[in-house]
Amino acid sequence: MILFATGLLKFFIGLIGVVGTIVFLILSAFQRTRTNKLRYAGITFLTTFILILAITGLEFLMYPTNKKQDQLVLTGLREAPLGAYWLGVYDDSTWELGNSSREIEVRGTYTISGDTLHLKTLGGTAFYNGNTKNSFVISGDNLIEVENTGIRGLKIGLNKLNGL
């Protein structure tokens, strides 16, 4: 959710910066002394670039890339304009859930019995309904939630689990 908001912020800063730069360039074309307007165009462009770069740097400091990406055996995703869900299941019997692979909110351990993935939270965290346990049935390329925590279902993106 935070990455979505900072993405919108960068978009609007970029839009305002590009429009401002173009306005100053057009104004400089119609004036005798072009140096002031060209200077303003350069300052506007440079400021826009630096602001977008700074926001991107802060994003990576706050939400670094997922270091366990190579250990993924199953991923599930439900995209939405606001409040997407991403589930990553790792080969060391752990899992993570959040808005993306960088915005993790809940962690825990898992077991698999038959076609059902059983999740248990760790560290005092809980699912969105307050429960510390949840289960998903693996059905084709979907994860269907057994208990209703608000996730309902996820589309499987990666499945390296044997036989499922």
Side-chain angles (χ1 to χ4, degrees):
M1 188 63 126
I2 298 294
L3 294 176
F4 177 75
T6 57
L8 280 176
L9 179 64
K10 288 191 294 187
F11 172 75
F12 286 121
I13 288 172
L15 184 65
I16 291 168
V18 167
V19 169
T21 302
I22 291 171
V23 165
F24 285 125
L25 287 174
I26 290 172
L27 289 175
S28 72
F30 294 110
Q31 290 187 350
R32 287 185 187 176
T33 58
R34 296 179 178 165
T35 56
N36 284 341
K37 299 300 181 196
L38 286 176
R39 183 178 300 132
Y40 293 149
I43 290 170
T44 304
F45 180 78
L46 190 61
T47 303
T48 302
F49 180 76
I50 290 171
L51 281 173
I52 290 174
L53 197 61
I55 293 170
T56 303
L58 285 174
E59 283 178 350
F60 279 103
L61 286 175
M62 291 173 56
Y63 299 102
T65 56
N66 192 337
K67 294 178 179 145
K68 294 173 67 174
Q69 198 76 19
D70 296 338
Q71 300 171 358
L72 280 170
V73 293
L74 179 74
T75 61
L77 177 68
R78 187 180 90 195
E79 293 181 353
L82 293 173
Y85 293 107
W86 180 85
L87 173 68
V89 177
Y90 302 100
D91 60 4
D92 61 354
S93 296
T94 61
W95 59 271
E96 296 177 323
L97 178 72
N99 294 92
S100 69
S101 63
R102 293 174 54 193
E103 288 184 280
I104 303 300
E105 298 173 359
V106 185
R107 291 180 166 84
T109 59
Y110 73 90
T111 57
I112 297 177
S113 58
D115 63 349
T116 306
L117 175 68
H118 302 281
L119 306 177
K120 182 180 178 185
T121 64
L122 292 176
T125 60
F127 287 98
Y128 304 108
N129 66 350
N131 289 348
T132 58
K133 294 182 181 180
N134 196 2
S135 298
F136 289 91
V137 174
I138 302 170
S139 175
D141 61 347
N142 293 305
L143 291 171
I144 302 167
E145 186 178 39
V146 175
E147 299 291 327
N148 186 12
T149 64
I151 299 171
R152 294 189 198 133
L154 303 170
K155 187 81 163 169
I156 295 176
L158 170 73
N159 188 354
K160 293 182 183 176
L161 296 173
N162 296 332
L164 298 175

